[in-house]
């Protein structure tokens, strides 16, 4: 089971086994990187934040409380790192380079289809970008990362009900915007 594996790795790390930290990094780096890509739409920013997350995990591992799953603990660190990274850089989290983001979209060999696909992808990014930061985080944690509302609440330091509300509002906003896009023929 993942919980037992994670707890054992944490205990090994706290007892001085650096190889266990490498295993822990391998287990979580792809999931966290994909999470950050969906938040930042920037490979460079995602890699930088990911590195900071694992530095913080290593530094504060002794504070981990195994009452909670390790995955919720590391995602809490990930979100806090993401927020502080953008504060430091004084970036507006909602100001995304849409052209750069479309480069993350898979390219098709049919130029016409590729262009249409990229334009649709750009519109979807713009829709997603209009969500409030907390709604965006809750939505990604639920529908991309697969966390329960209880886990999302713990990660975001809010109640389970508040987590559910943020996800529902995000869905509602996205559905309304998608409907309007389809009316425009996009």
């Amino acid at each position: 089971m993942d919980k037992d594996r994670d707890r054992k790795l944490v205990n090994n790390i706290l007892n001085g086994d650096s190889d266990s930290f490498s295993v822990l990094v391998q287990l979580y780096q792809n999931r966290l990187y994909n999470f950050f890509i969906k938040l930042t739409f920037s490979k460079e920013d995602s890699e930088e934040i990911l590195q900071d997350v694992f530095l913080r995990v290593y530094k504060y591992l002794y504070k981990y409380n195994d009452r909670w799953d390790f995955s919720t603990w590391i995602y809490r660190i990930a979100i806090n790192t993401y927020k502080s990274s953008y504060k430091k850089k004084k970036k507006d989290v909602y100001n995304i380079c849409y052209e750069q983001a479309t480069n993350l979209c898979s390219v098709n060999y049919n130029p016409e289809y590729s262009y249409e696909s990229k334009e649709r992808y750009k519109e979807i990014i713009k829709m997603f970008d209009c969500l409030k930061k907390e709604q965006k985080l809750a939505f990604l944690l639920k529908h991309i990362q697969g966390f329960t509302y209880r886990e999302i609440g713990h990660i975001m330091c809010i109640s389970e009900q508040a987590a559910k509300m943020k996800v529902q509002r995000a869905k509602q906003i996205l559905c309304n915007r998608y409907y309007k896009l389809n009316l425009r023929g996009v």
Side-chain angles (χ1 to χ4, degrees):
M1 182 174 222
D2 289 347
K3 294 176 191 179
D4 293 333
R5 178 205 60 210
D6 289 351
R7 285 186 182 120
K8 183 176 179 172
L9 287 169
V10 168
N11 285 331
N12 291 347
I13 296 164
L14 292 173
N15 289 324
D17 181 9
S18 60
D19 290 338
S20 291
F21 187 72
S22 297
V23 171
L24 198 67
V25 169
Q26 289 174 353
L27 289 170
Y28 284 94
Q29 70 182 358
N30 288 338
R31 285 187 267 177
L32 288 170
Y33 178 77
N34 289 330
F35 178 67
F36 291 134
I37 280 288
K38 288 168 182 64
L39 285 171
T40 66
F41 297 101
S42 165
K43 289 179 183 181
E44 295 80 16
D45 287 349
S46 296
E47 289 167 357
E48 185 179 318
I49 296 167
L50 184 64
Q51 184 176 5
D52 289 346
V53 166
F54 284 114
L55 289 172
R56 288 181 184 192
V57 166
Y58 191 78
K59 183 176 181 179
Y60 297 110
L61 195 59
Y62 70 95
K63 291 184 174 185
Y64 167 65
N65 180 348
D66 65 3
R67 188 178 126 227
W68 292 97
D69 290 346
F70 182 78
S71 61
T72 59
W73 186 76
I74 197 170
Y75 271 89
R76 180 183 279 187
I77 290 174
I79 287 173
N80 289 336
T81 306
Y82 161 75
K83 289 177 179 178
S84 67
S85 171
Y86 275 90
K87 277 183 189 174
K88 267 194 271 183
K89 291 182 177 183
K90 295 184 178 155
K91 280 188 177 180
D92 180 0
V93 254
Y94 303 112
N95 187 14
I96 292 173
C97 176
Y98 298 108
E99 293 304 320
Q100 182 182 359
T102 57
N103 292 333
L104 298 173
C105 179
S106 63
V107 178
N108 191 300
Y109 291 109
N110 179 337
E112 184 178 325
Y113 181 78
S114 179
Y115 175 77
E116 288 173 14
S117 179
K118 283 187 175 190
E119 288 303 306
R120 189 162 199 61
Y121 187 70
K122 194 185 307 182
E123 289 299 321
I124 290 169
I125 291 169
K126 285 179 183 177
M127 280 184 349
F128 190 68
D129 195 34
C130 290
L131 294 174
K132 292 178 181 175
K133 181 174 55 174
E134 299 296 315
Q135 291 171 339
K136 185 190 285 190
L137 290 169
F139 184 85
L140 286 174
L141 288 169
K142 177 66 180 165
H143 294 292
I144 304 299
Q145 303 306 120
F147 285 105
T148 66
Y149 292 116
R150 181 173 181 254
E151 292 170 325
I152 294 167
H154 179 70
I155 292 168
M156 296 180 69
C157 300
I158 57 177
S159 71
E160 182 177 344
Q161 190 60 31
K164 189 173 186 176
M165 238 3 204
K166 289 185 186 307
V167 172
Q168 294 299 73
R169 285 189 183 136
K171 274 192 219 176
Q172 185 179 20
I173 290 167
L174 290 173
C175 287
N176 288 341
R177 290 185 182 276
Y178 186 76
Y179 177 74
K180 288 177 185 175
L181 273 177
N182 281 330
L183 287 179
R184 287 192 346 221
V186 176

